[in-house]
Amino acid sequence: MPGSDCQVWREFPDRLVGYPGRLHLWDHEMNKWKYESEWTNEVSMVLTGAAFYHKYFNYLYTYKMPGDIKNWVDAHMNCEDIAMNFLVANVTGKAPIKVTPRKKFKCPECTAIDGLSLDQTHMVERSECINKFATVFGTMPLKVVEHRADPVLYKDDFPEKLKSFPNIGSL
């Protein structure tokens, strides 16, 4: 599967390319930004645990991240992926590209991640990250799109051993 992500990234090297996708929304009742991870056709972020991006963005993240975002992320041990999405969107003015129909990043060895993302306080903190970062950037650089680059060959009827990415359709 990483081969398909990389192929899409080669065509769009100025984007974050990966999965799963996430969304930021404006909460009219609370009058602030909200982090959303529900299954939707819209995305404004992709998690960096399963993403490709140009190494230049690592340089920008390390040495040119605005304000105290990097220190804030380090102190909270959360939201480095949201910070990277903010940075890339701010520099390029473009949305990430979500690949594969997967909602979650599956990693059998990473049992602690599942527990963290299911915790409601985790969602609240990630919403706080979005609001903090928007304040530091002085704008909301994240772009909402409905575009996905899903390789659909996994649906074709030919032997599994010939498929490059035989498990791509499984959720």
Side-chain angles (χ1 to χ4, degrees), residues 99-151:
V99 291
T100 84
R102 291 184 183 215
K103 180 181 178 185
K104 294 184 177 180
F105 171 64
K106 291 190 176 184
C107 175
E109 300 84 31
C110 307
T111 55
I113 291 175
D114 290 334
L116 177 64
S117 62
L118 294 174
D119 183 3
Q120 191 58 36
T121 59
H122 176 72
M123 299 298 284
V124 170
E125 185 165 278
R126 290 176 71 79
S127 292
E128 289 173 9
C129 293
I130 291 174
N131 286 286
K132 165 80 172 165
F133 301 166
T135 299
V136 171
F137 274 84
T139 187
M140 173 46 76
L142 300 177
K143 309 285 187 233
V144 177
V145 293
E146 290 188 20
H147 174 78
R148 285 186 357 200
D150 292 344

Side-chain angles (χ1 to χ4, degrees), residues 150-156 168:
D150 292 344
V152 294
L153 291 178
Y154 70 90
K155 292 184 176 182
D156 288 353
I168 201 165

